[in-house]
């Protein structure tokens, strides 16, 4: 076989030991918090049937699905030349599965498929890769990891509150300063209703979202040229200049939306969430942001998004309430609320802000230098005892030059190196070198284990 | 959108909370042992370029690869009708990536690609799913999980020894009784050489492997009818009746293979491994098994396999030494040795033998019953304190019938339920019910946290 220059598909990544240890630190942190709040783990397959995935992410999303070829002689199912002219149907003949695009739709599929075995409300978390055939660019990958946490089967706002607590706790443990932004789809519907433009909610929300970029005047122009009557646009002005403290915002909304039933529902929900939150000692600021709509169309109540304050990277976590996600799979009226932590962006933020604990880099704590057969035997015996004490340790497998062995220990960030020569064997002791300080001492096996167990 | 009956691709599985907790117990156990022996984590993408995968698993393996369709308008690359008659080339036009088939080939690819950043010997572990388009059947899945642990860049037999220690330790922690079987490709080559049939090694090994099923006589008949001369088959007889204690086997092999250089090398390697092992206190029996060849062609030295003794399920772990795995990617003379734990079969063995710890099923330790708004507020405050103490706890999110809430706690295997009504609120106390014993007591918040922290 000819040698080939190895590479991986664009937009995918290898995670070497250093990346892995750091990523696991993030995954373990979120997982620990999820568990503390009573969430249960779930994993679904990498592949889903295309019938499960198609039509759930809009036309653009369908195009970004990675499709898996049917195995076996799939081309025998292609009838004739005509099929080539009709690409979509050819595609359907040769592929029935796709890689999952997010964790939410497979979760909805799982809930419906296993509804008789699940005790509702079902609190689950899911940490898995997802795949999108997006154009790869800095910070955007074709294989990336999501950490989702959802409650399904309850309309209680306590779930929204709990998710905000979880978010606050995760980022506070990780050391990332964040702002948690909250909005409510019902408030957005109320704003559109108040303008007499109930069916233009999306258009209006998108316009609100553009204020920071293009300014109020341009937003108004856009709305008018898109067919919203000028008097309706006038009514929107208080929302466009929306600012002030959280309570002032709520008072303003109460006044503006007093004639819209759905709008007032949204305001009440926001108020209740803040009322609950006032009982807790959150580290992060939680702020109402009416421009928050997020791409996904299925949110029906709260909309949540988390922004890192010290690194300009966009949203690092987001989600909301969806009243009928399982409806597409035939299970009606199951309300859920969830958020998704973007592990890759969180990783980037932590790396840029130098937030990973230093001792993560340390993996093996003790390495025995290999001085040859006889010393090896002595060391292997000590090594077994050290490992039995639960200490991560190894012996260099070959008797090669000291320099090479020490450079291995150095590169691997080993904390201590043990050296056993003739003298040490005669005394039954181990010379231990602290690789950071350079300090050296002679210890008995018992002392060695005690030292490594304490540190 | 019409409702659809949801399902998942055949051969794939959802892992619900109970399965997840059990699987994580297995993954955490192996990972902890791997780390203790100084192995570092690695993960590679789900998709690899087909050029990396094709030709590495034999013709049969190539057919079992799941291929991923190129994204975008891939069919525009299909030139004309003729392509349809030439299926393989059409396939190559529309697909360039595949799901990984095992962890070994992507590991070799990783090592070659990152050779300048890696400190050798490189000790790594990798726990990830792999995909094979095999016909699904009991215990065989199209998506399944491997836990691989390898040392690459050293020829030291200490690595073989270490892997046997790891295997012994993992299964001893999991409580699975196993037999570790070892063979050596050089011994098999020596046997063929001793027969004067050096180029028939595979055929002879396969024949040896059949003794248990068809008996010695039939094996001899097969060998002769396949073209091995009768006098050569005569020479094989001592191997076919191979039995006795480990040392007797080694003595026999030493005598038989004394004229074969490669055979004697193999015997020496086996002896050295056993010599090292004699210094350790292994729980499992390690036995020479000359019929052990394993499907993969790349083993060059030790061959290892682990068999569960109490459940008839085949091999649950296996591997060996490969002297030139990275050669296919252009990096010569890098010797490695590794083993792979089959997580799914280990799971099945543990389930059948009832080996999972009982407390795995317990996730949330304390649930507060929801008696309405006022009680909720009191409980939320206590709940925050309990969680701050690191105890997994939750409150039922809705004020519904007590029976429904208790059945939720029951189904979720919650250990304690907290009930706070008017009386408790007046006293500032919590009524705590042990869900297993039914015992009930009234505790202050401090007492509650103390109780849950101790248990």
């Amino acid at each position: 076989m000819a040698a080939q220059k190895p590479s991986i598909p664009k937009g995918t990544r290898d995670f070497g030991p250093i990346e892995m240890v750091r990523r696991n630190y993030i995954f373990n942190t979120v997982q620990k918090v999820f568990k503390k709040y009573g969430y249960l783990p779930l994993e679904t397959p990498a592949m889903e049937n295309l019938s499960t995935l198609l039509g759930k992410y809009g036309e653009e999303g369908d195009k970004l699905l990675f499709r898996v070829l049917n195995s076996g002689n799939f081309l025998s199912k292609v009838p004739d030349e005509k099929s080539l002219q009709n690409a979509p149907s050819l595609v359907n003949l040769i592929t029935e599965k796709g890689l999952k695009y997010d964790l939410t739709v497979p979760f909805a599929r799982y809930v419906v498929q296993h509804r008789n075995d699940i005790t509702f409300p079902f609190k689950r978390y899911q940490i898995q890769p997802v795949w999108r055939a997006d154009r790869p660019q800095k910070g955007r990958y074709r294989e990336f990891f999501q950490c989702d946490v959802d409650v399904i089967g309850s309309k209680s706002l306590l779930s929204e509150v709990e998710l905000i607590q979880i978010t606050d706790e995760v980022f506070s443990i990780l050391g990332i300063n964040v702002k948690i932004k909250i909005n409510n789809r019902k408030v957005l519907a109320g704003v559109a209703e108040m303008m007499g433009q109930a069916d233009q909610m999306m258009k209006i929300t998108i316009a609100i979202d553009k204020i920071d970029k293009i300014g109020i005047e341009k937003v108004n122009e856009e709305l008018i040229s898109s067919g919203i009557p000028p008097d309706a646009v006038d009514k929107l002005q208080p929302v466009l200049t929306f600012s002030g403290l959280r309570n002032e915002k709520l008072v303003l909304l109460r006044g503006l939306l007093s004639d819209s039933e759905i709008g007032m529902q949204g305001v009440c929900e926001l108020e209740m969430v803040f009322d609950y939150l006032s009982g807790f000692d959150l580290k992060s600021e939680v702020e109402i942001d009416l421009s928050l709509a997020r791409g996904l169309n299925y949110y029906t109540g709260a909309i949540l998004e988390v922004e890192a304050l010290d690194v300009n990277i966009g949203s690092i976590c987001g989600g909301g309430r969806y009243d009928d996600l399982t409806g597409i799979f035939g299970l009606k009226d199951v309300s859920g609320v969830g958020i998704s932590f973007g592990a890759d962006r969180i990783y980037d933020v932590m790396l840029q802000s130098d937030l990973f604990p230093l001792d993560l880099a340390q993996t093996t704590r003790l390495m025995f230098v290999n001085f040859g057969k006889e010393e090896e035997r002595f060391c292997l015996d000590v090594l077994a005892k050290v490992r039995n004490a639960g200490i991560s340790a190894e012996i260099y497998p070959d008797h090669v030059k000291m320099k090479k062995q020490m450079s291995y220990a150095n590169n691997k960030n080993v904390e201590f190196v043990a050296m056993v020569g003739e003298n040490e064997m005669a005394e039954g002791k181990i010379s231990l070198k602290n690789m950071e300080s350079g300090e050296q001492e002679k210890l008995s096996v018992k002392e060695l284990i005690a030292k490594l167990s304490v540190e």
Side-chain angles (χ1 to χ4, degrees), chain A residues 213-283:
Chain A
K213 280 178 220 137
I214 62 174
I216 294 185
E217 245 166 86
K218 284 246 160 63
V219 165
N220 287 338
E221 279 169 30
E222 262 196 37
L223 282 169
I224 287 169
S225 72
S226 79
I228 310 273
D231 62 325
V233 174
D234 279 351
K235 287 188 187 149
L236 182 64
Q237 297 313 300
V239 174
L240 296 185
T241 55
F242 193 64
S243 72
L245 296 175
R246 181 201 297 162
N247 281 337
E248 293 166 14
K249 287 181 175 179
L250 285 169
V251 168
L252 176 80
L253 284 176
R254 255 198 184 282
L256 269 178
L257 305 181
S258 57
D259 289 339
S260 159
E261 196 186 322
I262 189 157
M264 287 311 284
Q265 265 180 34
V267 176
C268 277
E269 288 185 7
L270 281 176
E271 283 173 345
M272 279 182 72
V273 167
F274 283 118
D275 188 39
Y276 276 124
L277 288 179
S278 67
F280 306 117
D281 186 24
L282 297 190
K283 309 280 177 301

Side-chain angles (χ1 to χ4, degrees), chain A residues 371-382:
Chain A
F371 286 113
K373 281 293 152 228
E374 214 172 314
E375 292 85 353
E376 208 180 71
R377 196 163 287 278
F378 181 94
C379 291
L380 282 174
D381 184 54
V382 182

